[in-house]
Amino acid sequence: MEFGDKIKDIRSQHHLTQEQFAATLNVTRQAVSNWENNRNLPDLELLILMARLFHLSLDELILGGTPMNDLTEKLINDGKETRRAKFNLFSTILGTFLLLFGFFCFFIKANSVEYIDAAGILHENFYLLPLGFLFVFSGFLIILTTGVISLRRLRKQKHG
């Protein structure tokens, strides 16, 4: 059952017109009409108010007896988008940090002094080159992977 149908059922069970239902919730009749025709969805405060006034649980009101309706799907998708955005932000920051750390290793290697001591031992920071390349490659790979995954999700949302 769609959310609009659930609103119509509640209204008809309580023998209310759209105007009376709207007055009960302090909204316009047009808002109720938009809800019933699935053109718009009420905000969370109104859902809570409806549940209290008509003695329904939020599950009954939102789910409406079916596993998924528009409102439920919207709430689930909003949560997924928030998690994706946080993951993308974290991945981009981590990749940037690794890139900068790799370039910092190159900078230290380029500006460090290499010398041979009295015993004939060469002192140089050779290990900084492979570390720098490892960090730069890892950072680049993380940023590239995050970008490709984001582009695939956008393409999937546009086409499906």
Side-chain angles (χ1 to χ4, degrees):
M1 175 182 287
E2 291 294 319
F3 183 75
D5 296 330
K6 184 66 178 175
I7 295 293
K8 284 179 193 175
D9 285 349
I10 293 169
R11 192 171 54 77
S12 61
Q13 286 173 2
H14 290 84
H15 308 289
L16 297 171
T17 65
Q18 282 186 345
E19 288 178 5
Q20 292 168 330
F21 189 76
T24 305
L25 298 172
N26 294 322
V27 295
T28 63
R29 185 201 57 77
Q30 289 82 3
V32 174
S33 175
N34 287 335
W35 299 339
E36 288 182 356
N37 293 312
N38 292 314
R39 282 188 233 124
N40 235 345
L41 296 170
D43 60 11
L44 191 56
E45 290 102 13
L46 283 172
L47 288 171
I48 293 169
L49 180 62
M50 279 186 238
R52 284 186 184 152
L53 289 174
F54 300 107
H55 308 292
L56 298 167
S57 70
L58 283 173
D59 282 345
E60 279 181 280
L61 184 60
I62 294 171
L63 296 175
T66 61
M68 181 100 52
N69 63 22
D70 290 342
L71 185 59
T72 309
E73 192 172 342
K74 180 179 183 274
L75 291 171
I76 291 170
N77 287 338
D78 286 350
K80 286 180 183 176
E81 289 300 319
T82 301
R83 282 192 303 278
R84 284 182 191 145
K86 286 180 182 177
F87 176 76
N88 288 346
L89 178 65
F90 174 76
S91 298
T92 304
I93 289 172
L94 178 64
T96 303
F97 174 76
L98 290 172
L99 278 171
L100 291 174
F101 197 70
F103 289 130
F104 185 67
C105 288
F106 293 150
F107 178 77
I108 291 175
K109 172 64 177 143
N111 292 312
S112 65
V113 177
E114 301 167 355
Y115 64 94
I116 299 175
D117 64 8
I121 298 174
L122 175 65
H123 294 273
E124 89 174 293
N125 306 356
F126 179 74
Y127 64 90
L128 288 174
L129 284 178
L131 278 178
F133 281 116
L134 178 68
F135 287 130
V136 167
F137 177 73
S138 299
F140 179 73
L141 192 63
I142 288 173
I143 291 173
L144 182 68
T145 304
T146 302
V148 168
I149 290 171
S150 295
L151 288 175
R152 282 186 181 171
R153 282 189 194 127
L154 285 174
R155 190 176 304 147
K156 188 184 285 186
Q157 286 175 355
K158 287 182 181 178
H159 297 293

